[in-house]
Amino acid sequence: MLNTVSIILAAENGENFKSKKSKYQHEVLFKPMINWVCDVCKEVGIETNSVAISDKNEELTKLIPEGFAVLSNHRAIMAFAAQNMDRDILMIKGDNIFADKETLEKSHEQHQSENNDITSVIVDFNGKEVNCNIHWLKTGYLLKVLDTIQNLGNDNDSNPLNLLNDIEGKKGIYKTQNSNCVCQIPDRAALVSITEFARLYVLDKLYKDGVNIPYDNGVIISPDVKIGMDTTVLPNTIIEGKTTIGEDCVIGENTHIISSTIGDGNKILSSYIENSIIHNETKIGPYVHIRPDSEIHDFVKLGNFVEIKSSSIDKYTSVAHLTYLGDSKLGRFVNVGCGVVTANYDGAEKHHTIIEDSAFIGCNTNFIPPVHIGKGSVIGAGSTIDQDVGDFALALARNKQVVKEDWALKKGKYKKGL
């Protein structure tokens, strides 16, 4: 939107929330309120954006996206407006999380076509016209409002929204069809209600995109998540952040995914995945934990109680159960037996294990990195490997078994039940 500016009002503290945090730091579907509003301003293409906050609110400042100016007091708002003369200014409250692209664009079109000083968005809500706290203003009109506040002598306490319609000028009204634009979140009770409404709102959009959610019990999906057609999401599944999931997947039950990329045709059950990449046609779970910066390639199998951390696993590799792989790189067609550990941390530094294609790793093997295991090699069960192993080699690292006949009987050791 050419020649436009936003001022998002987010100066209220957390008093009504009984919280040390600003009201606008509180989350709806794992996304802070302020970020819902910042994102819609970016979505409509407003050229210059800003957020007005209270003094010294450093924690809220950390949430404000790059490129948004932070206005920490009344004088900063005045200076920002003065720097943007002859531009249309969108003023919107930071808790209006359901403000939408169509409403902002069409209200701005009307504001320009009618040459208004101020155009306010209203909605017909249960037969009553309600102000949505969304306004387009000419810069000169906003400066008159701010001058009035300054003359009242309480710069930091006055909300510009309270005086917007008290200043002389040409005023217009835009009636939005989006009844959700009336959203305001004054306290925690309202936050709970709005969060449940938002949950159903997001699920409804996913249904329309062809996602299958047969039972929505406990299904919580953030608004920035994208899910492909014919993917099924099962109960008690949580998907957060900017996660992308492809088509024809099964996700859940009891799965939690955070800011990850998931390809097509994956089956992920009762598992936890964070900040990682899963390619296509994998089978993951139950009870798998994939920690940040991991990449799982096509046709990989990860089974019960497997933990992966900062590792890459190539195609057709199987890690069936009870294994920890940290800071490791596994090739294709590797078979990892039960109870394998790559001991990546020595107390001071992290070290890497590399296992090449088609290696066979026996049960209860410990790798003490840095080690490089060659292609086609075999590691005997129960080994502790702290040296490189060449291609197609057999590595055994365990003591020879010793058996002393009748030792337990002679020493009087455990004989319960005998």
Side-chain angles (χ1 to χ4, degrees), residues 183-217:
C183 176
Q184 295 181 41
I185 309 176
D187 53 33
R188 285 187 190 269
L191 181 64
V192 172
S193 298
I194 290 295
T195 298
E196 176 59 12
F197 180 85
R199 184 182 77 88
L200 298 175
Y201 176 82
V202 169
L203 295 185
D204 185 63
K205 290 174 66 176
L206 292 172
Y207 297 141
K208 292 173 181 176
D209 290 337
V211 179
N212 182 36
I213 308 174
Y215 309 99
D216 71 1
N217 307 49

PDB file of all heavy atoms in Angstrom, residues 183-217:
ATOM      1  N   CYS A 183     -12.582  -7.446  17.992  1.00  0.00           N
ATOM      2  CA  CYS A 183     -11.835  -8.112  19.064  1.00  0.00           C
ATOM      3  C   CYS A 183     -11.074  -7.127  19.952  1.00  0.00           C
ATOM      4  O   CYS A 183     -10.325  -6.284  19.479  1.00  0.00           O
ATOM      5  CB  CYS A 183     -10.841  -9.102  18.453  1.00  0.00           C
ATOM      6  SG  CYS A 183      -9.786  -9.902  19.670  1.00  0.00           S
ATOM      7  N   GLN A 184     -11.291  -7.255  21.266  1.00  0.00           N
ATOM      8  CA  GLN A 184     -10.493  -6.570  22.284  1.00  0.00           C
ATOM      9  C   GLN A 184     -10.274  -7.560  23.418  1.00  0.00           C
ATOM     10  O   GLN A 184     -11.154  -8.352  23.731  1.00  0.00           O
ATOM     11  CB  GLN A 184     -11.196  -5.313  22.792  1.00  0.00           C
ATOM     12  CG  GLN A 184     -11.361  -4.243  21.715  1.00  0.00           C
ATOM     13  CD  GLN A 184     -12.048  -3.000  22.253  1.00  0.00           C
ATOM     14  OE1 GLN A 184     -11.777  -2.551  23.363  1.00  0.00           O
ATOM     15  NE2 GLN A 184     -12.956  -2.448  21.465  1.00  0.00           N
ATOM     16  N   ILE A 185      -9.096  -7.493  24.036  1.00  0.00           N
ATOM     17  CA  ILE A 185      -8.742  -8.481  25.058  1.00  0.00           C
ATOM     18  C   ILE A 185      -8.329  -7.730  26.330  1.00  0.00           C
ATOM     19  O   ILE A 185      -7.145  -7.450  26.540  1.00  0.00           O
ATOM     20  CB  ILE A 185      -7.615  -9.404  24.565  1.00  0.00           C
ATOM     21  CG1 ILE A 185      -7.965  -9.974  23.187  1.00  0.00           C
ATOM     22  CG2 ILE A 185      -7.381 -10.540  25.561  1.00  0.00           C
ATOM     23  CD1 ILE A 185      -6.882 -10.820  22.559  1.00  0.00           C
ATOM     24  N   PRO A 186      -9.290  -7.384  27.173  1.00  0.00           N
ATOM     25  CA  PRO A 186      -8.971  -6.549  28.333  1.00  0.00           C
ATOM     26  C   PRO A 186      -8.336  -7.284  29.508  1.00  0.00           C
ATOM     27  O   PRO A 186      -7.689  -6.659  30.342  1.00  0.00           O
ATOM     28  CB  PRO A 186     -10.340  -5.983  28.731  1.00  0.00           C
ATOM     29  CG  PRO A 186     -11.305  -7.040  28.286  1.00  0.00           C
ATOM     30  CD  PRO A 186     -10.733  -7.619  27.029  1.00  0.00           C
ATOM     31  N   ASP A 187      -8.540  -8.612  29.635  1.00  0.00           N
ATOM     32  CA  ASP A 187      -8.031  -9.322  30.808  1.00  0.00           C
ATOM     33  C   ASP A 187      -7.840 -10.806  30.473  1.00  0.00           C
ATOM     34  O   ASP A 187      -8.096 -11.248  29.346  1.00  0.00           O
ATOM     35  CB  ASP A 187      -8.986  -9.152  31.999  1.00  0.00           C
ATOM     36  CG  ASP A 187     -10.429  -9.525  31.652  1.00  0.00           C
ATOM     37  OD1 ASP A 187     -10.635 -10.447  30.827  1.00  0.00           O
ATOM     38  OD2 ASP A 187     -11.354  -8.886  32.193  1.00  0.00           O
ATOM     39  N   ARG A 188      -7.394 -11.579  31.475  1.00  0.00           N
ATOM     40  CA  ARG A 188      -7.087 -12.994  31.235  1.00  0.00           C
ATOM     41  C   ARG A 188      -8.327 -13.813  30.889  1.00  0.00           C
ATOM     42  O   ARG A 188      -8.251 -14.759  30.090  1.00  0.00           O
ATOM     43  CB  ARG A 188      -6.397 -13.603  32.463  1.00  0.00           C
ATOM     44  CG  ARG A 188      -4.944 -13.178  32.625  1.00  0.00           C
ATOM     45  CD  ARG A 188      -4.296 -13.967  33.752  1.00  0.00           C
ATOM     46  NE  ARG A 188      -2.987 -13.457  34.104  1.00  0.00           N
ATOM     47  CZ  ARG A 188      -1.844 -13.871  33.559  1.00  0.00           C
ATOM     48  NH1 ARG A 188      -1.864 -14.810  32.625  1.00  0.00           N
ATOM     49  NH2 ARG A 188      -0.693 -13.371  33.961  1.00  0.00           N
ATOM     50  N   ALA A 189      -9.456 -13.477  31.485  1.00  0.00           N
ATOM     51  CA  ALA A 189     -10.686 -14.209  31.183  1.00  0.00           C
ATOM     52  C   ALA A 189     -11.028 -14.058  29.707  1.00  0.00           C
ATOM     53  O   ALA A 189     -11.388 -15.038  29.026  1.00  0.00           O
ATOM     54  CB  ALA A 189     -11.829 -13.711  32.055  1.00  0.00           C
ATOM     55  N   ALA A 190     -10.909 -12.835  29.198  1.00  0.00           N
ATOM     56  CA  ALA A 190     -11.162 -12.604  27.775  1.00  0.00           C
ATOM     57  C   ALA A 190     -10.120 -13.315  26.921  1.00  0.00           C
ATOM     58  O   ALA A 190     -10.431 -13.836  25.843  1.00  0.00           O
ATOM     59  CB  ALA A 190     -11.153 -11.108  27.480  1.00  0.00           C
ATOM     60  N   LEU A 191      -8.869 -13.358  27.402  1.00  0.00           N
ATOM     61  CA  LEU A 191      -7.801 -14.029  26.667  1.00  0.00           C
ATOM     62  C   LEU A 191      -8.112 -15.506  26.468  1.00  0.00           C
ATOM     63  O   LEU A 191      -7.909 -16.065  25.381  1.00  0.00           O
ATOM     64  CB  LEU A 191      -6.470 -13.864  27.399  1.00  0.00           C
ATOM     65  CG  LEU A 191      -5.244 -14.500  26.745  1.00  0.00           C
ATOM     66  CD1 LEU A 191      -4.946 -13.854  25.399  1.00  0.00           C
ATOM     67  CD2 LEU A 191      -4.031 -14.395  27.661  1.00  0.00           C
ATOM     68  N   VAL A 192      -8.632 -16.155  27.504  1.00  0.00           N
ATOM     69  CA  VAL A 192      -8.998 -17.571  27.402  1.00  0.00           C
ATOM     70  C   VAL A 192     -10.081 -17.766  26.351  1.00  0.00           C
ATOM     71  O   VAL A 192      -9.997 -18.655  25.491  1.00  0.00           O
ATOM     72  CB  VAL A 192      -9.452 -18.113  28.770  1.00  0.00           C
ATOM     73  CG1 VAL A 192     -10.030 -19.523  28.625  1.00  0.00           C
ATOM     74  CG2 VAL A 192      -8.289 -18.124  29.755  1.00  0.00           C
ATOM     75  N   SER A 193     -11.109 -16.930  26.402  1.00  0.00           N
ATOM     76  CA  SER A 193     -12.213 -17.046  25.446  1.00  0.00           C
ATOM     77  C   SER A 193     -11.746 -16.792  24.018  1.00  0.00           C
ATOM     78  O   SER A 193     -12.108 -17.522  23.084  1.00  0.00           O
ATOM     79  CB  SER A 193     -13.327 -16.060  25.807  1.00  0.00           C
ATOM     80  OG  SER A 193     -13.853 -16.334  27.080  1.00  0.00           O
ATOM     81  N   ILE A 194     -10.930 -15.750  23.850  1.00  0.00           N
ATOM     82  CA  ILE A 194     -10.447 -15.409  22.517  1.00  0.00           C
ATOM     83  C   ILE A 194      -9.527 -16.506  21.980  1.00  0.00           C
ATOM     84  O   ILE A 194      -9.551 -16.832  20.787  1.00  0.00           O
ATOM     85  CB  ILE A 194      -9.720 -14.056  22.538  1.00  0.00           C
ATOM     86  CG1 ILE A 194     -10.725 -12.923  22.765  1.00  0.00           C
ATOM     87  CG2 ILE A 194      -8.931 -13.825  21.259  1.00  0.00           C
ATOM     88  CD1 ILE A 194     -11.724 -12.745  21.647  1.00  0.00           C
ATOM     89  N   THR A 195      -8.718 -17.090  22.846  1.00  0.00           N
ATOM     90  CA  THR A 195      -7.807 -18.151  22.402  1.00  0.00           C
ATOM     91  C   THR A 195      -8.587 -19.353  21.883  1.00  0.00           C
ATOM     92  O   THR A 195      -8.238 -19.938  20.850  1.00  0.00           O
ATOM     93  CB  THR A 195      -6.870 -18.580  23.543  1.00  0.00           C
ATOM     94  OG1 THR A 195      -6.056 -17.462  23.926  1.00  0.00           O
ATOM     95  CG2 THR A 195      -5.961 -19.719  23.126  1.00  0.00           C
ATOM     96  N   GLU A 196      -9.653 -19.730  22.574  1.00  0.00           N
ATOM     97  CA  GLU A 196     -10.469 -20.843  22.096  1.00  0.00           C
ATOM     98  C   GLU A 196     -11.153 -20.484  20.783  1.00  0.00           C
ATOM     99  O   GLU A 196     -11.219 -21.308  19.854  1.00  0.00           O
ATOM    100  CB  GLU A 196     -11.510 -21.241  23.146  1.00  0.00           C
ATOM    101  CG  GLU A 196     -12.484 -22.323  22.712  1.00  0.00           C
ATOM    102  CD  GLU A 196     -11.838 -23.638  22.322  1.00  0.00           C
ATOM    103  OE1 GLU A 196     -10.624 -23.833  22.580  1.00  0.00           O
ATOM    104  OE2 GLU A 196     -12.545 -24.494  21.742  1.00  0.00           O
ATOM    105  N   PHE A 197     -11.640 -19.248  20.676  1.00  0.00           N
ATOM    106  CA  PHE A 197     -12.240 -18.812  19.418  1.00  0.00           C
ATOM    107  C   PHE A 197     -11.205 -18.846  18.300  1.00  0.00           C
ATOM    108  O   PHE A 197     -11.487 -19.311  17.181  1.00  0.00           O
ATOM    109  CB  PHE A 197     -12.809 -17.400  19.563  1.00  0.00           C
ATOM    110  CG  PHE A 197     -13.453 -16.883  18.314  1.00  0.00           C
ATOM    111  CD1 PHE A 197     -14.766 -17.180  18.028  1.00  0.00           C
ATOM    112  CD2 PHE A 197     -12.726 -16.117  17.410  1.00  0.00           C
ATOM    113  CE1 PHE A 197     -15.364 -16.715  16.851  1.00  0.00           C
ATOM    114  CE2 PHE A 197     -13.301 -15.650  16.246  1.00  0.00           C
ATOM    115  CZ  PHE A 197     -14.632 -15.950  15.965  1.00  0.00           C
ATOM    116  N   ALA A 198      -9.991 -18.364  18.608  1.00  0.00           N
ATOM    117  CA  ALA A 198      -8.923 -18.358  17.595  1.00  0.00           C
ATOM    118  C   ALA A 198      -8.544 -19.774  17.182  1.00  0.00           C
ATOM    119  O   ALA A 198      -8.261 -20.033  16.003  1.00  0.00           O
ATOM    120  CB  ALA A 198      -7.698 -17.620  18.143  1.00  0.00           C
ATOM    121  N   ARG A 199      -8.535 -20.694  18.133  1.00  0.00           N
ATOM    122  CA  ARG A 199      -8.221 -22.095  17.819  1.00  0.00           C
ATOM    123  C   ARG A 199      -9.201 -22.648  16.782  1.00  0.00           C
ATOM    124  O   ARG A 199      -8.800 -23.233  15.765  1.00  0.00           O
ATOM    125  CB  ARG A 199      -8.277 -22.944  19.090  1.00  0.00           C
ATOM    126  CG  ARG A 199      -7.863 -24.392  18.892  1.00  0.00           C
ATOM    127  CD  ARG A 199      -8.004 -25.176  20.190  1.00  0.00           C
ATOM    128  NE  ARG A 199      -9.389 -25.512  20.474  1.00  0.00           N
ATOM    129  CZ  ARG A 199      -9.996 -26.625  20.029  1.00  0.00           C
ATOM    130  NH1 ARG A 199      -9.332 -27.492  19.273  1.00  0.00           N
ATOM    131  NH2 ARG A 199     -11.261 -26.856  20.328  1.00  0.00           N
ATOM    132  N   LEU A 200     -10.488 -22.424  17.011  1.00  0.00           N
ATOM    133  CA  LEU A 200     -11.505 -22.909  16.078  1.00  0.00           C
ATOM    134  C   LEU A 200     -11.441 -22.156  14.743  1.00  0.00           C
ATOM    135  O   LEU A 200     -11.686 -22.733  13.681  1.00  0.00           O
ATOM    136  CB  LEU A 200     -12.887 -22.781  16.712  1.00  0.00           C
ATOM    137  CG  LEU A 200     -13.096 -23.616  17.985  1.00  0.00           C
ATOM    138  CD1 LEU A 200     -14.459 -23.320  18.600  1.00  0.00           C
ATOM    139  CD2 LEU A 200     -12.942 -25.107  17.711  1.00  0.00           C
ATOM    140  N   TYR A 201     -11.105 -20.881  14.813  1.00  0.00           N
ATOM    141  CA  TYR A 201     -10.957 -20.047  13.616  1.00  0.00           C
ATOM    142  C   TYR A 201      -9.844 -20.599  12.714  1.00  0.00           C
ATOM    143  O   TYR A 201     -10.012 -20.730  11.494  1.00  0.00           O
ATOM    144  CB  TYR A 201     -10.648 -18.621  14.067  1.00  0.00           C
ATOM    145  CG  TYR A 201     -10.361 -17.616  12.989  1.00  0.00           C
ATOM    146  CD1 TYR A 201     -11.390 -16.986  12.300  1.00  0.00           C
ATOM    147  CD2 TYR A 201      -9.047 -17.251  12.695  1.00  0.00           C
ATOM    148  CE1 TYR A 201     -11.118 -16.030  11.324  1.00  0.00           C
ATOM    149  CE2 TYR A 201      -8.766 -16.310  11.727  1.00  0.00           C
ATOM    150  CZ  TYR A 201      -9.805 -15.700  11.042  1.00  0.00           C
ATOM    151  OH  TYR A 201      -9.528 -14.758  10.081  1.00  0.00           O
ATOM    152  N   VAL A 202      -8.702 -20.951  13.320  1.00  0.00           N
ATOM    153  CA  VAL A 202      -7.580 -21.512  12.551  1.00  0.00           C
ATOM    154  C   VAL A 202      -7.949 -22.879  11.983  1.00  0.00           C
ATOM    155  O   VAL A 202      -7.663 -23.189  10.820  1.00  0.00           O
ATOM    156  CB  VAL A 202      -6.316 -21.602  13.427  1.00  0.00           C
ATOM    157  CG1 VAL A 202      -5.225 -22.416  12.737  1.00  0.00           C
ATOM    158  CG2 VAL A 202      -5.796 -20.204  13.751  1.00  0.00           C
ATOM    159  N   LEU A 203      -8.603 -23.725  12.798  1.00  0.00           N
ATOM    160  CA  LEU A 203      -8.993 -25.049  12.318  1.00  0.00           C
ATOM    161  C   LEU A 203      -9.957 -24.941  11.140  1.00  0.00           C
ATOM    162  O   LEU A 203      -9.861 -25.709  10.169  1.00  0.00           O
ATOM    163  CB  LEU A 203      -9.633 -25.863  13.447  1.00  0.00           C
ATOM    164  CG  LEU A 203      -8.730 -26.235  14.631  1.00  0.00           C
ATOM    165  CD1 LEU A 203      -9.482 -27.149  15.589  1.00  0.00           C
ATOM    166  CD2 LEU A 203      -7.445 -26.899  14.166  1.00  0.00           C
ATOM    167  N   ASP A 204     -10.876 -23.976  11.201  1.00  0.00           N
ATOM    168  CA  ASP A 204     -11.835 -23.806  10.106  1.00  0.00           C
ATOM    169  C   ASP A 204     -11.116 -23.461   8.804  1.00  0.00           C
ATOM    170  O   ASP A 204     -11.477 -23.972   7.730  1.00  0.00           O
ATOM    171  CB  ASP A 204     -12.843 -22.715  10.476  1.00  0.00           C
ATOM    172  CG  ASP A 204     -13.941 -22.572   9.438  1.00  0.00           C
ATOM    173  OD1 ASP A 204     -14.695 -23.543   9.241  1.00  0.00           O
ATOM    174  OD2 ASP A 204     -14.043 -21.499   8.822  1.00  0.00           O
ATOM    175  N   LYS A 205     -10.107 -22.626   8.871  1.00  0.00           N
ATOM    176  CA  LYS A 205      -9.332 -22.290   7.675  1.00  0.00           C
ATOM    177  C   LYS A 205      -8.617 -23.515   7.130  1.00  0.00           C
ATOM    178  O   LYS A 205      -8.529 -23.715   5.913  1.00  0.00           O
ATOM    179  CB  LYS A 205      -8.325 -21.184   8.000  1.00  0.00           C
ATOM    180  CG  LYS A 205      -8.960 -19.828   8.258  1.00  0.00           C
ATOM    181  CD  LYS A 205      -7.947 -18.809   8.723  1.00  0.00           C
ATOM    182  CE  LYS A 205      -6.941 -18.469   7.662  1.00  0.00           C
ATOM    183  NZ  LYS A 205      -6.008 -17.399   8.096  1.00  0.00           N
ATOM    184  N   LEU A 206      -8.129 -24.381   8.028  1.00  0.00           N
ATOM    185  CA  LEU A 206      -7.436 -25.596   7.588  1.00  0.00           C
ATOM    186  C   LEU A 206      -8.402 -26.582   6.941  1.00  0.00           C
ATOM    187  O   LEU A 206      -8.064 -27.243   5.950  1.00  0.00           O
ATOM    188  CB  LEU A 206      -6.716 -26.243   8.769  1.00  0.00           C
ATOM    189  CG  LEU A 206      -5.528 -25.441   9.325  1.00  0.00           C
ATOM    190  CD1 LEU A 206      -5.012 -26.073  10.612  1.00  0.00           C
ATOM    191  CD2 LEU A 206      -4.406 -25.356   8.291  1.00  0.00           C
ATOM    192  N   TYR A 207      -9.611 -26.693   7.500  1.00  0.00           N
ATOM    193  CA  TYR A 207     -10.624 -27.548   6.857  1.00  0.00           C
ATOM    194  C   TYR A 207     -10.839 -27.104   5.408  1.00  0.00           C
ATOM    195  O   TYR A 207     -10.930 -27.935   4.485  1.00  0.00           O
ATOM    196  CB  TYR A 207     -11.963 -27.470   7.593  1.00  0.00           C
ATOM    197  CG  TYR A 207     -11.957 -27.974   9.011  1.00  0.00           C
ATOM    198  CD1 TYR A 207     -12.683 -27.311  10.001  1.00  0.00           C
ATOM    199  CD2 TYR A 207     -11.250 -29.109   9.380  1.00  0.00           C
ATOM    200  CE1 TYR A 207     -12.701 -27.763  11.312  1.00  0.00           C
ATOM    201  CE2 TYR A 207     -11.260 -29.575  10.683  1.00  0.00           C
ATOM    202  CZ  TYR A 207     -11.986 -28.895  11.650  1.00  0.00           C
ATOM    203  OH  TYR A 207     -11.994 -29.347  12.937  1.00  0.00           O
ATOM    204  N   LYS A 208     -10.936 -25.808   5.203  1.00  0.00           N
ATOM    205  CA  LYS A 208     -11.188 -25.273   3.864  1.00  0.00           C
ATOM    206  C   LYS A 208     -10.016 -25.518   2.920  1.00  0.00           C
ATOM    207  O   LYS A 208     -10.183 -25.508   1.696  1.00  0.00           O
ATOM    208  CB  LYS A 208     -11.500 -23.780   3.952  1.00  0.00           C
ATOM    209  CG  LYS A 208     -12.830 -23.487   4.650  1.00  0.00           C
ATOM    210  CD  LYS A 208     -13.043 -22.003   4.874  1.00  0.00           C
ATOM    211  CE  LYS A 208     -14.361 -21.752   5.602  1.00  0.00           C
ATOM    212  NZ  LYS A 208     -14.552 -20.320   5.931  1.00  0.00           N
ATOM    213  N   ASP A 209      -8.806 -25.722   3.505  1.00  0.00           N
ATOM    214  CA  ASP A 209      -7.620 -26.030   2.694  1.00  0.00           C
ATOM    215  C   ASP A 209      -7.470 -27.526   2.433  1.00  0.00           C
ATOM    216  O   ASP A 209      -6.488 -27.947   1.800  1.00  0.00           O
ATOM    217  CB  ASP A 209      -6.357 -25.516   3.398  1.00  0.00           C
ATOM    218  CG  ASP A 209      -6.271 -23.998   3.402  1.00  0.00           C
ATOM    219  OD1 ASP A 209      -6.908 -23.369   2.527  1.00  0.00           O
ATOM    220  OD2 ASP A 209      -5.571 -23.450   4.269  1.00  0.00           O
ATOM    221  N   GLY A 210      -8.419 -28.333   2.926  1.00  0.00           N
ATOM    222  CA  GLY A 210      -8.371 -29.765   2.655  1.00  0.00           C
ATOM    223  C   GLY A 210      -7.639 -30.588   3.691  1.00  0.00           C
ATOM    224  O   GLY A 210      -7.276 -31.741   3.428  1.00  0.00           O
ATOM    225  N   VAL A 211      -7.428 -30.027   4.886  1.00  0.00           N
ATOM    226  CA  VAL A 211      -6.775 -30.772   5.969  1.00  0.00           C
ATOM    227  C   VAL A 211      -7.828 -31.580   6.712  1.00  0.00           C
ATOM    228  O   VAL A 211      -8.936 -31.099   6.976  1.00  0.00           O
ATOM    229  CB  VAL A 211      -6.049 -29.799   6.932  1.00  0.00           C
ATOM    230  CG1 VAL A 211      -5.388 -30.569   8.073  1.00  0.00           C
ATOM    231  CG2 VAL A 211      -5.007 -28.991   6.153  1.00  0.00           C
ATOM    232  N   ASN A 212      -7.473 -32.802   7.071  1.00  0.00           N
ATOM    233  CA  ASN A 212      -8.393 -33.702   7.762  1.00  0.00           C
ATOM    234  C   ASN A 212      -8.112 -33.689   9.259  1.00  0.00           C
ATOM    235  O   ASN A 212      -7.036 -34.109   9.695  1.00  0.00           O
ATOM    236  CB  ASN A 212      -8.239 -35.123   7.204  1.00  0.00           C
ATOM    237  CG  ASN A 212      -9.212 -36.100   7.840  1.00  0.00           C
ATOM    238  OD1 ASN A 212     -10.347 -35.749   8.138  1.00  0.00           O
ATOM    239  ND2 ASN A 212      -8.761 -37.332   8.056  1.00  0.00           N
ATOM    240  N   ILE A 213      -9.066 -33.188  10.045  1.00  0.00           N
ATOM    241  CA  ILE A 213      -8.946 -33.177  11.509  1.00  0.00           C
ATOM    242  C   ILE A 213     -10.219 -33.833  12.039  1.00  0.00           C
ATOM    243  O   ILE A 213     -11.192 -33.148  12.382  1.00  0.00           O
ATOM    244  CB  ILE A 213      -8.771 -31.744  12.051  1.00  0.00           C
ATOM    245  CG1 ILE A 213      -7.615 -31.039  11.328  1.00  0.00           C
ATOM    246  CG2 ILE A 213      -8.498 -31.765  13.560  1.00  0.00           C
ATOM    247  CD1 ILE A 213      -7.442 -29.584  11.686  1.00  0.00           C
ATOM    248  N   PRO A 214     -10.244 -35.169  12.096  1.00  0.00           N
ATOM    249  CA  PRO A 214     -11.499 -35.868  12.381  1.00  0.00           C
ATOM    250  C   PRO A 214     -12.041 -35.620  13.782  1.00  0.00           C
ATOM    251  O   PRO A 214     -13.250 -35.635  13.992  1.00  0.00           O
ATOM    252  CB  PRO A 214     -11.127 -37.336  12.185  1.00  0.00           C
ATOM    253  CG  PRO A 214      -9.643 -37.394  12.311  1.00  0.00           C
ATOM    254  CD  PRO A 214      -9.139 -36.098  11.826  1.00  0.00           C
ATOM    255  N   TYR A 215     -11.148 -35.395  14.738  1.00  0.00           N
ATOM    256  CA  TYR A 215     -11.548 -35.090  16.119  1.00  0.00           C
ATOM    257  C   TYR A 215     -10.634 -33.965  16.585  1.00  0.00           C
ATOM    258  O   TYR A 215      -9.419 -34.143  16.649  1.00  0.00           O
ATOM    259  CB  TYR A 215     -11.391 -36.315  17.026  1.00  0.00           C
ATOM    260  CG  TYR A 215     -12.038 -37.560  16.492  1.00  0.00           C
ATOM    261  CD1 TYR A 215     -11.277 -38.517  15.829  1.00  0.00           C
ATOM    262  CD2 TYR A 215     -13.407 -37.768  16.619  1.00  0.00           C
ATOM    263  CE1 TYR A 215     -11.862 -39.663  15.317  1.00  0.00           C
ATOM    264  CE2 TYR A 215     -14.000 -38.906  16.106  1.00  0.00           C
ATOM    265  CZ  TYR A 215     -13.228 -39.858  15.459  1.00  0.00           C
ATOM    266  OH  TYR A 215     -13.807 -40.978  14.949  1.00  0.00           O
ATOM    267  N   ASP A 216     -11.225 -32.815  16.923  1.00  0.00           N
ATOM    268  CA  ASP A 216     -10.365 -31.670  17.237  1.00  0.00           C
ATOM    269  C   ASP A 216     -10.009 -31.571  18.721  1.00  0.00           C
ATOM    270  O   ASP A 216      -9.462 -30.565  19.160  1.00  0.00           O
ATOM    271  CB  ASP A 216     -11.002 -30.370  16.746  1.00  0.00           C
ATOM    272  CG  ASP A 216     -12.220 -29.940  17.552  1.00  0.00           C
ATOM    273  OD1 ASP A 216     -12.575 -30.626  18.520  1.00  0.00           O
ATOM    274  OD2 ASP A 216     -12.815 -28.903  17.190  1.00  0.00           O
ATOM    275  N   ASN A 217     -10.270 -32.630  19.490  1.00  0.00           N
ATOM    276  CA  ASN A 217      -9.957 -32.618  20.921  1.00  0.00           C
ATOM    277  C   ASN A 217      -8.478 -32.292  21.137  1.00  0.00           C
ATOM    278  O   ASN A 217      -7.589 -33.047  20.739  1.00  0.00           O
ATOM    279  CB  ASN A 217     -10.234 -33.987  21.558  1.00  0.00           C
ATOM    280  CG  ASN A 217     -11.629 -34.493  21.280  1.00  0.00           C
ATOM    281  OD1 ASN A 217     -12.070 -34.484  20.144  1.00  0.00           O
ATOM    282  ND2 ASN A 217     -12.311 -34.935  22.300  1.00  0.00           N
TER     283      ASN A 217
END
